[in-house]
């Protein structure tokens, strides 16, 4: 988000899932919050793949800041399946089916 290379929908999607994740952590007895967080994480995996593949710049226009920004976006995308697994385990611990 720091280089404005990806559109605002990328930032809004990830920050809204972050807000739902904070809500899921604060309300320890709510299955709805953790399920919404898991669904949001799975949706952002798909939208992140689409955003990165569409808005990836050509090699000629790749500055260091853009390279770092896209690297962090890819790193975030790679960590999301691990986050989904951990959130699913939290869901099972809270009594989900």
């Amino acid at each position: 988000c720091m280089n404005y290379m990806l559109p605002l929908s990328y930032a809004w999607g990830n920050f809204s899932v972050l807000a739902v994740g904070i809500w899921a952590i604060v309300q320890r007895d709510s299955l709805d919050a953790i399920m919404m967080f898991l669904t949001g994480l799975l949706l952002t995996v798909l939208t992140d793949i689409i955003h990165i593949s569409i808005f990836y710049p050509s090699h000629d226009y790749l500055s260091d800041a853009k390279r770092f920004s896209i690297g962090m976006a890819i790193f975030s995308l790679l960590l999301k399946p691990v986050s989904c697994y951990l959130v699913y385990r939290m869901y099972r611990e809270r009594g989900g089916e």
Side-chain angles (χ1 to χ4, degrees), residues 3 32 34-35 37 41 53 69 72 80:
N3 202 10
D32 293 336
I34 199 77
M35 196 60 189
F37 183 44
L41 274 174
S53 63
S69 180
M72 288 295 109
K80 280 187 184 177

Side-chain angles (χ1 to χ4, degrees), residues 55-87:
F55 293 102
Y56 193 82
S58 66
H59 185 66
D60 299 337
Y61 301 107
L62 210 58
S63 66
D64 289 338
K66 286 183 180 180
R67 187 176 297 129
F68 178 76
S69 180
I70 202 73
M72 288 295 109
I74 292 171
F75 184 64
S76 170
L77 179 62
L78 290 174
L79 285 179
K80 280 187 184 177
V82 175
S83 299
C84 288
Y85 173 72
L86 294 175
V87 169

